[in-house]
């Protein structure tokens, strides 16, 4: 089938690790490639952020990236992109009018909004059946506001447009059970929600292979974009407690604005974290590595005794999967997608968010019991092979598409994209569970 992926700010060609580049870029690239391997033709539409980029790029056989001219041809923070979505939708509509896809899959709320707008335009011109639309949010504004409060930089329009997108598309693919509960609270019908998680490249990320040399007896690793909500500060504070207890341990921090540490000094979050480490007396125990490419990461993962993922909240989180694929035990905040991916006392340990004492205790326990850490690592590898390999994720996603097409989901009238703030958003916390049945399409 012909699949149109819409990912307005997260190009599969993007360098990973910047403030607005990370897991979604990996997800779109890997899912598109895995679907192409299953014989599908995938076109990814993303906003042009560089005037020198060609209009179309062949990412790999079966996957083409189209750079859409919408707004200035330069990098723009994603929270400032909404005013350009009308133009983005017009380009999509013109493209799909001439070459109609079998299914559209939006990634992030603005992509879903543009996809709905474009599909409405195409149907209006042709008078034919509507193209079915699938949506993956990757993050929900209601969760972001709950955890970041005034620090949330999302545009005001997200408050009402995001729920409207969830209710207007044919199927929402949630990446974890926690997100499914949030979507239900926003008014998305349960029958319109499928849970298909993000995946991991199990061939690239393996337990065996080169191992980076350590600087101290023990090594803890954390990898993320350098934004405060990712909880790197919590991990540094936990490290200080381990050092104070007399442990010879180092913390490697991967991520940030720089490459291999070259430009980190200009990163405000790095400056904050550097000051924190100095104030706690552990700066010589912390190595800020900047961005590292995907090919370099397995060597670093394998060098760690423990991988810590301590965000305040996390829509899904690919780092724990990569760590587990490399046979490393994970200490993870008990939030969002980490509740599903990291199995308590099986592949790692859960800790409350923003709790440096709990992180320190969990890491210390694994350092003191290497046999248990090894068992967790082996179980993690087995888990990602059976549930999170991209071949499995692509097959589950394909079943969502097939089910929609077979049911004639696109035969109705397309929901108009939300433009007027008249919708009521549910902001109360939905019931949560640490282990919910995954509702992938069968």
């Amino acid at each position: 089938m012909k699949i149109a992926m819409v990912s307005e700010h997260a190009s599969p060609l993007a360098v990973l690790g910047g403030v607005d580049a990370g897991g979604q870029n990996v997800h779109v690239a890997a899912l598109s490639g895995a679907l192409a391997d299953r014989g599908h033709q995938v076109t990814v539409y993303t906003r042009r952020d560089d005037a020198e980029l060609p209009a179309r790029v062949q990412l790999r056989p079966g996957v083409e990236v189209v750079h859409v001219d919408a707004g200035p041809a330069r990098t723009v923070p994603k929270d400032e992109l909404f005013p350009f979505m009308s133009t983005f939708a017009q380009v999509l509509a013109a493209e799909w009018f001439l070459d109609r896809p079998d299914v559209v899959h939006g990634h992030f709320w603005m992509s879903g909004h543009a996809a709905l707008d474009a599909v409405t335009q195409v149907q209006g011109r042709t008078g034919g059946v509507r193209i079915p639309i699938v949506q993956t949010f990757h993050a929900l504004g209601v969760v972001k506001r709950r955890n970041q409060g005034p620090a949330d930089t999302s545009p005001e329009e997200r408050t009402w447009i995001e729920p409207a997108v969830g209710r207007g598309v044919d199927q929402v693919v949630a990446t974890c059970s926690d997100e499914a509960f949030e979507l239900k609270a926003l008014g998305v019908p349960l029958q319109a929600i499928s849970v298909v998680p993000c995946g991991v490249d199990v061939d690239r990320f393996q337990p065996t292979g080169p191992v980076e040399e350590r600087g101290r007896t023990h090594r803890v690793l954390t990898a993320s974009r350098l934004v405060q909500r990712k909880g790197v500060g919590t991990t540094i504070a936990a490290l200080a407690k381990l050092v104070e207890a007399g442990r010879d341990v180092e913390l490697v921090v991967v991520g940030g604005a720089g490459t291999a540490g070259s430009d980190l000094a200009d990163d405000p979050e790095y400056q904050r974290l550097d000051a924190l480490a100095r104030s706690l007396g552990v700066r010589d125990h912390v190595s800020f590595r900047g961005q590292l490419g995907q090919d370099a990461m397995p060597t670093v993962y394998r060098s760690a005794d423990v991988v810590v993922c301590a965000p305040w909240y996390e829509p899904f989180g690919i780092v724990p999967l990569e760590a587990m694929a490399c046979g490393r035990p994970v200490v993870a905040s008990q939030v969002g997608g980490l509740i599903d991916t990291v199995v308590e006392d099986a592949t790692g340990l859960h800790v409350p968010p923003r709790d440096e004492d709990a992180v320190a205790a969990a890491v210390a326990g694994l350092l003191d019991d290497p046999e248990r850490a090894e068992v967790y690592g082996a179980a993690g590898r087995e888990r990602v092979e059976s549930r999170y390999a991209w071949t499995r994720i692509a097959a589950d996603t394909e079943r969502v598409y097939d089910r929609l097409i077979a049911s004639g989901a696109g035969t109705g009238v397309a929901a108009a994209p939300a433009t007027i703030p008249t919708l009521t958003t549910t902001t109360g916390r939905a019931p949560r569970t640490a282990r919910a049945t995954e509702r992938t399409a069968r």
Side-chain angles (χ1 to χ4, degrees), residues 106-183:
H107 294 268
F108 202 58
W109 69 277
M110 284 183 285
S111 292
H113 177 67
L116 277 167
D117 189 350
V119 166
T120 302
Q121 292 182 46
V122 172
Q123 188 176 26
R125 294 180 191 178
T126 64
V129 297
R130 179 165 79 90
I131 304 168
I133 308 173
V134 175
Q135 173 69 18
T136 300
F137 284 104
H138 293 276
L140 290 172
V142 64
V143 179
K144 188 177 181 182
R145 288 191 301 276
R146 184 186 306 136
N147 286 274
Q148 292 191 213
D152 179 13
T153 57
S154 298
E156 183 182 357
E157 292 89 347
R158 185 175 186 175
T159 305
W160 62 86
I161 290 177
E162 189 169 71
V165 169
R167 295 191 289 263
V169 299
D170 298 293
Q171 191 78 186
V172 178
V173 172
T175 56
C176 65
S177 56
D178 187 71
E179 184 185 358
F181 288 120
E182 297 284 358
L183 289 165

Side-chain angles (χ1 to χ4, degrees), residues 379-420:
R381 175 65 189 185
E382 182 178 350
R383 180 164 172 76
V384 298
E385 284 183 331
S386 64
R387 181 65 193 100
Y388 297 104
W390 279 112
T391 52
R392 166 75 184 271
I393 305 308
D396 287 347
T397 304
E398 181 188 81
R399 280 193 283 271
V400 174
Y401 299 162
D402 285 340
R403 186 180 65 192
L404 287 181
I405 293 171
S407 68
T411 59
V413 178
T419 56
I420 302 174

